[in-house]
Amino acid sequence: MKDKKIFHYLNLIIFSCVILSFLGSLDPAYAFFHDQDALNTGFEKSKQSIQSLFDRVNNASTNYQNDIATLDLSLSNNNVTIIKKNQEYIDHLKEIISSAKKTIVQQEYKSLLNNYIVSIESEMESYDHYNKHLRTGNITENKISMDLLSKAFNYETKAINEYKQLELQ
């Protein structure tokens, strides 16, 4: 009888150990899936931040293009007006860049964000050199402006392609 009790307690202890081990393995599994949910939330937030940045720049660009299209370029001071509009656009892009540099994204989105920031900064520099060209007539400033605009386009294309790749994942 005493042996049966010992055997019963031993079975109970072994069974408890097995159950506790099983339950202990559930905690890391729960943590793994919980972390996956947090990771997916992080990816979604990163995606939304990038999309918001794209939208802000596109809206600024559309507004700038509409402003330029409605200017009366027959006026004798048309360069002064264009320079003013260019500067307003540059200032607006500076605000967007300032915000973008504070944006926190998942590691997979960092290259995309950095490429897009370089694109916008290059575009701002391009308009700055174009303004210098309009003020002075210096053809070199116009060439620099065009080169920077090309650089901006290349970095924007990289960023968009990275975004498309991330969308496929």
Side-chain angles (χ1 to χ4, degrees), residues 25 39 67 74 77 115 124 140 153:
S25 70
L39 190 59
D67 285 349
S74 65
N77 291 346
N115 283 335
M124 289 182 334
T140 303
F153 175 76

Side-chain angles (χ1 to χ4, degrees), residues 21-144:
S21 296
F22 175 73
L23 292 175
S25 70
L26 290 180
D27 187 43
Y30 172 78
F32 172 76
F33 288 111
H34 182 71
D35 288 347
Q36 290 299 315
D37 289 342
L39 190 59
N40 288 339
T41 302
F43 279 122
E44 194 59 37
K45 285 182 182 178
S46 295
K47 180 182 172 182
Q48 290 171 354
S49 295
I50 296 297
Q51 188 60 52
S52 174
L53 176 61
F54 285 169
D55 291 344
R56 289 179 68 198
V57 171
N58 286 336
N59 288 339
S61 179
T62 299
N63 290 340
Y64 167 77
Q65 295 299 327
N66 289 339
D67 285 349
I68 293 297
T70 60
L71 290 178
D72 184 359
L73 298 180
S74 65
L75 299 174
S76 61
N77 291 346
N78 60 6
N79 281 357
V80 172
T81 306
I82 292 172
I83 290 168
K84 181 180 177 218
K85 291 294 180 185
N86 288 349
Q87 192 56 52
E88 289 171 4
Y89 182 54
I90 290 169
D91 292 343
H92 195 160
L93 291 178
K94 282 180 183 177
E95 291 173 19
I96 294 171
I97 286 291
S98 176
S99 172
K101 287 183 176 181
K102 296 174 189 169
T103 301
I104 298 171
V105 294
Q106 294 286 330
Q107 183 64 37
E108 291 77 4
Y109 282 87
K110 286 184 180 183
S111 174
L112 185 164
L113 178 62
N114 290 335
N115 283 335
Y116 203 62
I117 288 171
V118 170
S119 170
I120 298 166
E121 289 173 335
S122 297
E123 185 176 0
M124 289 182 334
E125 287 180 64
S126 171
Y127 280 101
D128 187 48
H129 283 278
Y130 186 64
N131 283 348
K132 290 177 186 173
H133 164 69
L134 291 175
R135 275 189 219 101
T136 66
N138 185 336
I139 295 173
T140 303
E141 291 293 340
N142 192 41
K143 167 92 171 80
I144 293 169

